[in-house]
Amino acid sequence: MKTLRTPLLLAAVLLAVAPLAPAAEAGKKPGKAAAAEKPAEGVPPAVADAMSKLVEAAIQHAAVDLAKGVDDFLPYGVLQLKSGELRHVAWTRPNPPPPMDVLTGIVVTLREQARQNPQVVAAITVAPSAVQTVDGQTVKGMRCEVDHRDGAPRVVFIPYTRENGKVVTGTMLYLAGPNPVFERAA
């Protein structure tokens, strides 16, 4: 496992980039519970499909924590190579900093890897999230930011609930993303 050093808020954040092992299935697979809206606006259909598949694969890691009842898992990232291989990017040391600092370090690491390695074709971050409905109800979810070298960044919100001890996800909501991983011509 390769450990990268990334400067973050005057401290060195240690993140690891390692092959992603398939997560153990815990009840129902997140992402399969409801049909996802494809991130199609301005993105070629094959790229949109690849981004959706990466979202579904990446959230499987969070599914393990969610199945254990842990809603505040530590943010992480996933890189996808041209070969299809997925590499997990995560905090690897005890006593992590606040989750937003970990997420910032992961985004910096994903951008560095994308810039340095032309084999990287897509990247995603996954973090716990929640939104308030108009009637004040809190909806728990996962916030993913996915980008593809041949596409455009997207934010994906995946709501979930627990029914009979199992995690059940709702419809994925795709929006244009403000945080690209890949450099693009202006």
Side-chain angles (χ1 to χ4, degrees):
M1 183 181 306
K2 183 178 179 184
T3 301
L4 302 173
R5 293 186 185 270
T6 304
L8 173 65
L9 302 176
L10 305 175
V13 174
L14 298 175
L15 300 171
V17 177
L20 183 63
E25 287 191 34
K28 205 169 191 181
K29 283 186 176 182
K32 298 289 186 181
E37 293 180 25
K38 300 293 183 194
E41 288 183 35
V43 177
V47 173
D49 188 51
M51 290 171 78
S52 291
K53 287 179 181 175
L54 179 57
V55 169
E56 289 181 11
I59 64 174
Q60 295 306 308
H61 183 75
V64 174
D65 284 338
L66 294 175
K68 294 177 187 174
V70 177
D71 291 323
D72 292 328
F73 59 88
L74 202 56
Y76 61 92
V78 176
L79 291 166
Q80 182 176 21
L81 305 182
K82 284 182 183 179
S83 67
E85 178 186 349
L86 301 179
R87 293 191 178 164
H88 192 145
V89 179
W91 180 264
T92 59
R93 301 286 184 190
N95 305 317
M100 285 306 296
D101 291 348
V102 171
L103 186 58
T104 300
I106 289 169
V107 170
V108 168
T109 301
L110 294 176
R111 286 178 178 160
E112 286 175 357
Q113 290 291 305
R115 186 178 60 252
Q116 295 171 4
N117 185 351
Q119 295 299 309
V120 174
V121 295
I124 185 171
T125 58
V126 181
S129 186
V131 296
Q132 294 287 325
T133 63
V134 291
D135 62 354
Q137 183 181 11
T138 300
V139 177
K140 293 180 182 178
M142 293 174 276
R143 177 189 168 101
C144 303
E145 293 202 25
V146 61
D147 195 8
H148 193 285
R149 195 174 289 280
D150 297 326
R154 296 289 187 252
V155 174
V156 185
F157 181 74
I158 307 161
Y160 67 87
T161 59
R162 288 190 174 80
E163 295 177 10
N164 299 320
K166 292 184 179 183
V167 176
V168 179
T169 58
T171 301
M172 295 181 191
L173 174 63
Y174 283 83
L175 302 170
N179 299 313
V181 170
F182 298 95
E183 295 177 0
R184 293 177 167 82

